[in-house]
Amino acid sequence: MSVYPAFRWSWAARAVVGLMTAGAAVGIWSPGAAVADVTVPLPDGHIDGPGIHIASSGERAVISPSLAANGAGRTAWVTGNVTVDIQTPPGTVGPKNGASNDPGTNDSSTHGASQVTVGYVVGCQVALGNMSASLGATLSTSPTVSGGISFPLAPGQVKWVQVDYLEMPTSGRYFLNYQDYSMDVQGCGGFAQARQFAVVEKIGPDFAKSTLYGRPFSLG
């Protein structure tokens, strides 16, 4: 059994600057009180498909108001571990083509080798517990800084944000781990939600695809 680890570490320094006067704290995002980061622990999960087992563990999110301080932005630093056990015939890594050779949503693309893609579905004023709301969503894959991405999100809009992917050319156990990957959401004046996804596409005579979704969590 082969093991192909894929580690993507990103570190984000976060600071809140406040003014202390007469025992009162004046924060940079709130006129009356300092705003602290909120850590959201998320439950483990797993799913089985034809020759596929996907497990998610150690997922958490740290939520902060956006440094833009405009009331319509917020930032999440997400961490997680995804393990895939797969039985697949050997393949040759080929193009990742969706419709008209576009990347697609990474939940509907084809690959020359089996692959796992991990990321987050992010919605503004959309309840992500019902994944049918994600139809027509767009994929954000242009990081502005290493280990993070910033993107606009309008009310009613859903985006798929890819954190990383890993080719799986042979049968075995594969790991994809990430730490403090930042998602900076701008333009959402209402409530926002996100949830992890892990998509496995298995090549071979019988193509198979399995998707594991994490629990939705609020971005504020």
Side-chain angles (χ1 to χ4, degrees), residues 10 12 56 69 71 81 84 93 104 141 155 186 203 207 209:
S10 60
S56 174
N81 309 294
V84 178
V93 177
T141 56
Q186 294 296 329
I203 65 167
F207 177 83
K209 178 186 290 184

Side-chain angles (χ1 to χ4, degrees), residues 158-170:
V158 176
K159 289 192 176 183
W160 295 67
V161 179
Q162 177 180 305
V163 173
D164 209 345
Y165 72 92
L166 178 65
E167 303 284 0
M168 300 181 293
T170 61

